[in-house]
Amino acid sequence: MREHKIVVLKGDGIGPEIVDEALKVLDAAGEKFGFHMVCDEQLMGGAAIDATGVPLPQETVDACKAADCVFLGAVGGPKWDSQPGSNRPEAGLLGIRGALGLYANLRPAKIFGPLKSASPIKDAIIGDSMDLLIVRELTGGIYFGERGTGEENGEAYAYDTEKYSVSEIRRIAKTAFEMAMKRQKRLCSVDKANVLDSSRLWRKTVIELSAEYPEVELSHMYVDNCAMQLVRNPKQFDVIVTSNIFGDILSDEASMISGSIGMLASASLAEGKFGLYEPIHGSAPDIAGQGVANPLATILSAAMMLRYSLDEPQAADAIEAAVDAALKTVRTPDIYEDGFKKVSTSEMGDLVASLV
Protein backbone atom coordinates (compact mmCIF):
# COMPACT_ATOMS: atom_id res chain seq x y z
CA MET A 1 0.00 0.00 0.00
CA ARG A 2 1.32 3.44 -0.93
CA GLU A 3 2.06 5.81 1.98
CA HIS A 4 1.74 9.59 1.89
CA LYS A 5 3.22 11.61 4.74
CA ILE A 6 1.40 14.87 5.36
CA VAL A 7 1.61 17.53 8.04
CA VAL A 8 -1.83 18.50 9.34
CA LEU A 9 -2.30 22.04 10.65
CA LYS A 10 -5.84 22.14 12.02
CA GLY A 11 -5.52 25.74 13.15
CA ASP A 12 -8.23 27.76 14.85
CA GLY A 13 -11.99 28.22 14.97
CA ILE A 14 -13.73 25.70 12.74
CA GLY A 15 -10.35 24.47 11.46
CA PRO A 16 -10.15 21.31 13.60
CA GLU A 17 -13.69 20.12 12.83
CA ILE A 18 -13.54 20.64 9.06
CA VAL A 19 -10.08 19.08 8.83
CA ASP A 20 -11.34 16.02 10.71
CA GLU A 21 -14.05 15.52 8.09
CA ALA A 22 -11.54 15.85 5.24
CA LEU A 23 -9.25 13.28 6.89
CA LYS A 24 -12.25 10.96 7.19
CA VAL A 25 -12.83 11.27 3.43
CA LEU A 26 -9.12 10.77 2.71
CA ASP A 27 -9.16 7.55 4.74
CA ALA A 28 -12.14 6.29 2.73
CA ALA A 29 -10.42 7.17 -0.55
CA GLY A 30 -7.21 5.50 0.59
CA GLU A 31 -9.04 2.29 1.48
CA LYS A 32 -10.62 2.21 -1.98
CA PHE A 33 -7.60 3.23 -4.05
CA GLY A 34 -4.77 1.57 -2.13
CA PHE A 35 -2.94 4.27 -0.18
CA HIS A 36 -2.53 5.31 3.45
CA MET A 37 -2.18 8.81 4.88
CA VAL A 38 0.47 9.19 7.59
CA CYS A 39 -0.54 12.36 9.41
CA ASP A 40 1.74 14.47 11.61
CA GLU A 41 -0.32 17.07 13.45
CA GLN A 42 1.51 20.33 14.18
CA LEU A 43 0.58 23.79 15.46
CA MET A 44 0.17 27.05 13.55
CA GLY A 45 -1.82 30.23 14.05
CA GLY A 46 -3.66 31.10 17.25
CA ALA A 47 -3.36 27.57 18.59
CA ALA A 48 0.42 27.85 18.26
CA ILE A 49 0.44 31.24 19.99
CA ASP A 50 -1.47 29.77 22.93
CA ALA A 51 0.90 26.80 23.21
CA THR A 52 4.27 28.32 22.31
CA GLY A 53 3.91 32.11 22.17
CA VAL A 54 4.51 32.34 18.39
CA PRO A 55 2.23 31.66 15.39
CA LEU A 56 4.75 29.49 13.54
CA PRO A 57 7.07 27.38 15.70
CA GLN A 58 10.29 26.16 14.09
CA GLU A 59 9.21 22.60 14.89
CA THR A 60 6.23 23.07 12.57
CA VAL A 61 8.42 24.41 9.76
CA ASP A 62 10.84 21.49 10.11
CA ALA A 63 8.01 18.95 10.06
CA CYS A 64 6.48 20.53 6.96
CA LYS A 65 9.80 20.40 5.10
CA ALA A 66 10.08 16.68 5.87
CA ALA A 67 6.56 15.85 4.62
CA ASP A 68 5.12 15.19 1.16
CA CYS A 69 2.74 18.13 1.56
CA VAL A 70 0.80 20.19 4.11
CA PHE A 71 -2.93 20.25 4.87
CA LEU A 72 -4.33 23.32 6.63
CA GLY A 73 -7.69 24.18 8.17
CA ALA A 74 -7.91 27.90 8.97
CA VAL A 75 -6.18 30.36 11.30
CA GLY A 76 -7.09 33.50 13.18
CA GLY A 77 -9.81 34.97 15.33
CA PRO A 78 -10.59 37.94 17.57
CA LYS A 79 -9.01 36.17 20.54
CA TRP A 80 -5.58 37.17 19.18
CA ASP A 81 -6.42 40.69 17.94
CA SER A 82 -4.30 42.21 20.70
CA GLN A 83 -1.16 40.55 19.36
CA PRO A 84 1.30 42.75 17.40
CA GLY A 85 1.09 42.33 13.64
CA SER A 86 4.24 40.23 13.50
CA ASN A 87 2.80 37.77 16.01
CA ARG A 88 -0.80 37.48 14.85
CA PRO A 89 -2.07 34.10 13.60
CA GLU A 90 -2.03 35.34 10.01
CA ALA A 91 1.72 35.98 10.31
CA GLY A 92 2.10 32.24 10.63
CA LEU A 93 0.45 31.77 7.26
CA LEU A 94 2.73 34.31 5.58
CA GLY A 95 5.70 32.75 7.33
CA ILE A 96 4.95 29.21 6.19
CA ARG A 97 4.55 30.37 2.59
CA GLY A 98 7.99 31.94 2.69
CA ALA A 99 9.65 29.08 4.57
CA LEU A 100 8.32 26.49 2.13
CA GLY A 101 8.85 28.51 -1.06
CA LEU A 102 5.16 28.46 -2.01
CA TYR A 103 5.16 30.67 -5.10
CA ALA A 104 2.05 29.52 -7.02
CA ASN A 105 -1.48 29.82 -5.68
CA LEU A 106 -4.13 27.72 -7.45
CA ARG A 107 -7.69 28.90 -6.98
CA PRO A 108 -10.34 26.88 -8.80
CA ALA A 109 -13.75 28.48 -9.26
CA LYS A 110 -16.21 25.71 -10.00
CA ILE A 111 -19.98 25.55 -9.82
CA PHE A 112 -21.35 22.16 -8.89
CA GLY A 113 -24.57 21.49 -10.78
CA PRO A 114 -26.79 21.19 -7.69
CA LEU A 115 -25.58 24.60 -6.46
CA LYS A 116 -26.22 26.61 -9.63
CA SER A 117 -29.06 28.50 -7.99
CA ALA A 118 -26.65 29.88 -5.36
CA SER A 119 -24.57 31.76 -7.93
CA PRO A 120 -25.33 35.47 -8.42
CA ILE A 121 -24.76 34.95 -12.16
CA LYS A 122 -27.76 34.10 -14.33
CA ASP A 123 -28.24 30.52 -15.53
CA ALA A 124 -28.19 31.80 -19.12
CA ILE A 125 -24.58 32.92 -18.60
CA ILE A 126 -23.32 29.95 -16.60
CA GLY A 127 -25.04 27.27 -18.68
CA ASP A 128 -24.67 23.71 -17.45
CA SER A 129 -21.48 24.33 -15.47
CA MET A 130 -18.45 26.55 -14.89
CA ASP A 131 -14.96 25.39 -14.07
CA LEU A 132 -11.97 27.73 -14.27
CA LEU A 133 -8.61 27.90 -12.50
CA ILE A 134 -6.70 31.03 -11.50
CA VAL A 135 -2.94 30.63 -11.08
CA ARG A 136 -1.66 33.53 -8.97
CA GLU A 137 2.00 34.40 -8.42
CA LEU A 138 2.39 34.41 -4.64
CA THR A 139 5.85 35.62 -3.60
CA GLY A 140 6.66 38.62 -5.81
CA GLY A 141 5.18 41.80 -7.19
CA ILE A 142 3.92 44.83 -5.31
CA TYR A 143 3.33 42.94 -2.05
CA PHE A 144 7.04 42.18 -1.80
CA GLY A 145 8.57 45.13 -3.65
CA GLU A 146 10.33 48.14 -2.20
CA ARG A 147 8.02 50.36 -0.17
CA GLY A 148 8.26 53.39 2.02
CA THR A 149 6.92 56.72 3.18
CA GLY A 150 8.24 60.23 3.16
CA GLU A 151 7.40 63.89 2.90
CA GLU A 152 7.63 66.21 -0.09
CA ASN A 153 6.68 69.89 -0.20
CA GLY A 154 5.20 69.56 3.26
CA GLU A 155 2.94 66.65 2.28
CA ALA A 156 3.23 63.00 3.29
CA TYR A 157 3.49 60.34 0.59
CA ALA A 158 3.82 56.56 0.42
CA TYR A 159 4.88 54.19 -2.34
CA ASP A 160 4.88 50.47 -3.15
CA THR A 161 6.86 49.01 -6.04
CA GLU A 162 5.67 46.40 -8.52
CA LYS A 163 8.76 44.41 -9.51
CA TYR A 164 9.13 41.09 -11.34
CA SER A 165 12.17 39.31 -12.76
CA VAL A 166 12.10 37.10 -15.83
CA SER A 167 12.78 34.02 -13.70
CA GLU A 168 9.83 34.77 -11.41
CA ILE A 169 7.52 35.23 -14.38
CA ARG A 170 8.77 32.10 -16.16
CA ARG A 171 8.29 30.02 -13.03
CA ILE A 172 4.64 30.94 -12.49
CA ALA A 173 3.88 30.86 -16.21
CA LYS A 174 5.36 27.36 -16.49
CA THR A 175 3.07 26.21 -13.69
CA ALA A 176 0.09 27.71 -15.48
CA PHE A 177 1.00 26.09 -18.81
CA GLU A 178 1.35 22.73 -17.04
CA MET A 179 -2.09 23.19 -15.45
CA ALA A 180 -3.59 24.09 -18.83
CA MET A 181 -2.09 20.94 -20.36
CA LYS A 182 -4.09 18.89 -17.83
CA ARG A 183 -7.33 20.73 -18.59
CA GLN A 184 -8.70 22.26 -21.81
CA LYS A 185 -5.30 23.55 -23.01
CA ARG A 186 -6.34 27.20 -22.95
CA LEU A 187 -4.38 29.82 -20.99
CA CYS A 188 -5.20 33.51 -20.57
CA SER A 189 -2.37 35.67 -19.23
CA VAL A 190 -3.73 38.76 -17.44
CA ASP A 191 -1.66 41.94 -17.10
CA LYS A 192 -1.76 45.71 -17.58
CA ALA A 193 0.77 45.91 -20.40
CA ASN A 194 -0.76 49.08 -21.85
CA VAL A 195 0.42 51.00 -18.76
CA LEU A 196 2.99 49.07 -16.69
CA ASP A 197 6.57 48.17 -17.64
CA SER A 198 6.38 45.18 -15.29
CA SER A 199 3.38 43.93 -17.24
CA ARG A 200 5.13 44.40 -20.56
CA LEU A 201 7.97 42.19 -19.31
CA TRP A 202 5.35 39.76 -17.99
CA ARG A 203 3.65 39.48 -21.40
CA LYS A 204 6.93 39.20 -23.32
CA THR A 205 8.18 36.42 -21.03
CA VAL A 206 4.91 34.46 -21.20
CA ILE A 207 4.91 34.67 -25.00
CA GLU A 208 8.49 33.40 -25.17
CA LEU A 209 7.68 30.47 -22.87
CA SER A 210 4.60 29.57 -24.91
CA ALA A 211 6.89 28.18 -27.63
CA GLU A 212 7.53 25.24 -25.27
CA TYR A 213 3.78 24.51 -25.10
CA PRO A 214 2.52 24.55 -28.70
CA GLU A 215 -0.63 22.62 -27.73
CA VAL A 216 -1.80 25.37 -25.37
CA GLU A 217 -3.85 28.20 -26.87
CA LEU A 218 -2.44 31.39 -25.28
CA SER A 219 -4.38 34.64 -25.06
CA HIS A 220 -3.80 37.92 -23.23
CA MET A 221 -6.19 40.25 -21.45
CA TYR A 222 -5.88 43.48 -19.50
CA VAL A 223 -6.85 43.05 -15.86
CA ASP A 224 -9.75 45.52 -15.96
CA ASN A 225 -11.27 43.74 -18.95
CA CYS A 226 -10.74 40.38 -17.26
CA ALA A 227 -12.66 41.58 -14.19
CA MET A 228 -15.54 42.49 -16.47
CA GLN A 229 -15.38 39.28 -18.52
CA LEU A 230 -15.46 37.07 -15.40
CA VAL A 231 -18.96 38.39 -14.75
CA ARG A 232 -20.04 38.74 -18.37
CA ASN A 233 -18.89 35.32 -19.61
CA PRO A 234 -16.86 33.26 -17.13
CA LYS A 235 -17.13 30.13 -19.27
CA GLN A 236 -14.70 31.62 -21.81
CA PHE A 237 -11.83 30.94 -19.36
CA ASP A 238 -10.01 27.70 -18.64
CA VAL A 239 -6.79 28.75 -16.85
CA ILE A 240 -5.86 32.33 -15.94
CA VAL A 241 -2.31 33.25 -14.90
CA THR A 242 -1.54 36.61 -13.36
CA SER A 243 0.52 38.57 -10.86
CA ASN A 244 0.20 38.65 -7.10
CA ILE A 245 -2.02 41.71 -6.72
CA PHE A 246 -4.17 41.04 -9.80
CA GLY A 247 -4.60 37.43 -8.77
CA ASP A 248 -5.58 38.43 -5.25
CA ILE A 249 -8.45 40.52 -6.62
CA LEU A 250 -9.58 38.33 -9.52
CA SER A 251 -9.61 35.10 -7.51
CA ASP A 252 -11.94 36.63 -4.94
CA GLU A 253 -14.23 37.86 -7.71
CA ALA A 254 -14.25 34.43 -9.35
CA SER A 255 -14.94 32.74 -6.02
CA MET A 256 -18.21 34.65 -5.61
CA ILE A 257 -19.42 33.41 -8.99
CA SER A 258 -19.45 29.88 -7.61
CA GLY A 259 -22.11 30.86 -5.08
CA SER A 260 -20.59 29.89 -1.73
CA ILE A 261 -17.24 30.53 -0.08
CA GLY A 262 -17.82 27.27 1.79
CA MET A 263 -17.21 25.34 -1.43
CA LEU A 264 -13.88 26.79 -2.51
CA ALA A 265 -10.55 24.98 -2.24
CA SER A 266 -7.04 26.23 -2.88
CA ALA A 267 -3.46 25.08 -3.23
CA SER A 268 -0.14 26.87 -2.85
CA LEU A 269 2.69 25.10 -4.66
CA ALA A 270 6.47 25.11 -4.38
CA GLU A 271 9.01 23.77 -6.86
CA GLY A 272 8.30 20.15 -7.71
CA LYS A 273 5.10 18.64 -6.31
CA PHE A 274 5.20 20.02 -2.78
CA GLY A 275 2.19 22.09 -1.78
CA LEU A 276 0.03 23.47 1.01
CA TYR A 277 -3.71 22.86 0.67
CA GLU A 278 -6.48 24.80 2.42
CA PRO A 279 -10.02 26.13 2.01
CA ILE A 280 -10.17 29.81 1.13
CA HIS A 281 -12.62 30.73 3.89
CA GLY A 282 -11.62 31.88 7.35
CA SER A 283 -11.75 30.29 10.77
CA ALA A 284 -15.33 31.47 11.55
CA PRO A 285 -14.86 31.38 15.34
CA ASP A 286 -18.48 32.46 15.87
CA ILE A 287 -19.73 29.03 14.73
CA ALA A 288 -16.82 26.89 15.94
CA GLY A 289 -17.87 23.75 17.78
CA GLN A 290 -21.53 24.01 16.79
CA GLY A 291 -21.39 21.34 14.08
CA VAL A 292 -22.75 23.68 11.40
CA ALA A 293 -19.57 24.50 9.45
CA ASN A 294 -19.42 23.41 5.81
CA PRO A 295 -16.48 20.97 5.39
CA LEU A 296 -16.75 20.69 1.59
CA ALA A 297 -14.11 23.32 0.73
CA THR A 298 -11.67 21.45 2.96
CA ILE A 299 -12.66 18.10 1.46
CA LEU A 300 -12.17 19.54 -2.04
CA SER A 301 -8.76 20.89 -0.94
CA ALA A 302 -7.90 17.31 0.00
CA ALA A 303 -8.86 16.26 -3.53
CA MET A 304 -6.50 18.91 -4.92
CA MET A 305 -3.74 17.56 -2.67
CA LEU A 306 -4.26 14.07 -4.07
CA ARG A 307 -4.23 15.39 -7.63
CA TYR A 308 -1.31 17.82 -7.60
CA SER A 309 1.10 16.55 -4.91
CA LEU A 310 0.39 12.88 -4.27
CA ASP A 311 -0.25 11.45 -7.76
CA GLU A 312 -3.64 10.00 -6.87
CA PRO A 313 -5.86 11.42 -9.63
CA GLN A 314 -8.45 8.64 -9.48
CA ALA A 315 -9.02 9.27 -5.79
CA ALA A 316 -9.27 13.02 -6.45
CA ASP A 317 -11.89 12.42 -9.13
CA ALA A 318 -13.82 10.13 -6.80
CA ILE A 319 -13.91 12.71 -4.00
CA GLU A 320 -15.10 15.47 -6.32
CA ALA A 321 -17.80 13.17 -7.71
CA ALA A 322 -18.84 12.24 -4.16
CA VAL A 323 -19.23 15.93 -3.24
CA ASP A 324 -21.39 16.49 -6.31
CA ALA A 325 -23.54 13.47 -5.44
CA ALA A 326 -23.94 14.55 -1.81
CA LEU A 327 -25.14 18.01 -2.83
CA LYS A 328 -28.07 16.46 -4.70
CA THR A 329 -29.67 15.42 -1.39
CA VAL A 330 -28.13 17.24 1.60
CA ARG A 331 -26.86 20.68 2.59
CA THR A 332 -25.07 22.27 5.50
CA PRO A 333 -26.81 25.41 6.86
CA ASP A 334 -24.73 27.87 4.81
CA ILE A 335 -25.98 26.44 1.51
CA TYR A 336 -29.36 25.11 2.64
CA GLU A 337 -32.40 25.31 0.35
CA ASP A 338 -35.93 24.02 0.74
CA GLY A 339 -36.28 20.48 -0.53
CA PHE A 340 -32.93 19.29 0.81
CA LYS A 341 -32.01 17.61 4.08
CA LYS A 342 -30.07 19.86 6.45
CA VAL A 343 -27.04 18.06 7.90
CA SER A 344 -24.26 18.77 10.37
CA THR A 345 -20.56 19.07 9.65
CA SER A 346 -19.89 15.46 10.59
CA GLU A 347 -22.95 14.12 8.76
CA MET A 348 -21.76 15.80 5.55
CA GLY A 349 -18.32 14.25 6.02
CA ASP A 350 -19.86 10.82 6.67
CA LEU A 351 -21.97 11.00 3.52
CA VAL A 352 -19.13 12.14 1.24
CA ALA A 353 -16.87 9.41 2.66
CA SER A 354 -19.55 6.79 1.98
CA LEU A 355 -19.92 7.99 -1.62
CA VAL A 356 -16.22 7.96 -2.53
Side-chain angles (χ1 to χ4, degrees):
M1 179 173 283
R2 299 180 298 280
E3 280 195 351
H4 302 304
K5 182 180 178 182
I6 67 171
V7 165
V8 177
L9 306 172
K10 292 185 177 181
D12 311 315
I14 62 172
E17 55 197 287
I18 56 177
V19 168
D20 284 345
E21 299 312 308
L23 295 177
K24 183 189 300 180
V25 173
L26 282 169
D27 285 342
E31 185 175 338
K32 181 175 181 179
F33 292 97
F35 62 85
H36 173 63
M37 308 300 294
V38 179
C39 300
D40 177 11
E41 187 172 339
Q42 297 287 335
L43 294 174
M44 192 180 83
I49 294 173
D50 289 347
T52 70
V54 295
L56 182 62
Q58 186 59 45
E59 181 181 349
T60 297
V61 175
D62 294 341
C64 290
K65 289 181 177 180
D68 295 325
C69 54
V70 181
F71 194 52
L72 170 65
V75 298
K79 177 182 178 181
W80 302 281
D81 282 352
S82 61
Q83 291 284 333
S86 61
N87 205 57
R88 289 172 66 97
E90 296 79 7
L93 187 56
L94 294 175
I96 200 72
R97 288 174 180 169
L100 301 179
L102 304 173
Y103 71 90
N105 183 234
L106 309 186
R107 286 277 293 269
K110 179 177 181 178
I111 295 180
F112 287 84
L115 280 180
K116 278 178 60 179
S117 61
S119 173
I121 306 298
K122 295 178 180 178
D123 281 358
I125 294 175
I126 295 173
D128 295 332
S129 64
M130 185 196 78
D131 183 2
L132 64 90
L133 176 67
I134 294 179
V135 180
R136 168 192 170 191
E137 202 287 322
L138 202 57
T139 58
I142 198 167
Y143 292 164
F144 291 88
E146 183 181 347
R147 64 187 61 187
T149 60
E151 186 174 311
E152 188 173 29
N153 298 324
E155 185 176 24
Y157 68 86
Y159 64 93
D160 301 273
T161 306
E162 173 83 351
K163 179 182 177 182
Y164 272 110
S165 66
V166 169
S167 60
E168 287 176 313
I169 299 167
R170 280 186 61 89
R171 182 172 65 173
I172 191 67
K174 182 176 177 63
T175 297
F177 276 111
E178 294 290 344
M179 293 296 122
M181 286 291 293
K182 298 175 182 178
R183 292 169 54 94
Q184 299 175 30
K185 298 183 179 180
R186 292 186 292 115
L187 176 62
C188 180
S189 178
V190 173
D191 57 39
K192 194 62 177 170
N194 57 332
V195 175
L196 301 176
D197 281 341
S198 58
S199 280
R200 284 188 273 272
L201 179 63
W202 180 284
R203 183 172 294 204
K204 178 177 181 290
T205 304
V206 173
I207 290 172
E208 290 173 351
L209 183 63
S210 69
E212 299 179 20
Y213 297 90
E215 295 180 63
V216 176
E217 176 188 338
L218 175 64
S219 61
H220 304 273
M221 192 173 287
Y222 296 144
V223 63
D224 44 352
N225 185 33
C226 183
M228 179 178 68
Q229 293 298 329
L230 277 171
V231 177
R232 177 179 176 272
N233 180 22
K235 290 183 68 177
Q236 69 183 280
F237 298 106
D238 177 25
V239 179
I240 293 171
V241 62
T242 192
S243 66
N244 204 338
I245 188 170
F246 295 161
D248 192 2
I249 297 164
L250 293 177
S251 60
D252 278 358
E253 180 189 14
S255 72
M256 289 310 300
I257 296 172
S258 70
S260 172
I261 197 170
M263 294 296 302
L264 298 171
S266 78
S268 297
L269 303 182
E271 298 280 3
K273 294 183 178 180
F274 187 89
L276 180 149
Y277 298 84
E278 61 179 317
I280 74 163
H281 59 69
S283 62
D286 55 318
I287 61 169
Q290 298 178 26
V292 297
N294 185 347
L296 293 180
T298 314
I299 291 170
L300 291 168
S301 296
M304 292 185 74
M305 179 173 67
L306 292 172
R307 187 182 307 282
Y308 294 122
S309 286
L310 302 180
D311 290 325
E312 300 285 358
Q314 287 183 300
D317 289 343
I319 290 174
E320 290 170 355
V323 168
D324 189 68
L327 287 170
K328 293 175 181 177
T329 59
V330 305
R331 301 291 170 86
T332 46
D334 62 308
I335 52 175
Y336 178 73
E337 293 182 63
D338 290 340
F340 294 87
K341 180 183 178 182
K342 187 181 292 185
V343 295
S344 68
T345 305
S346 61
E347 287 172 331
M348 179 64 87
D350 288 341
L351 180 58
V352 174
S354 71
L355 293 169
V356 169

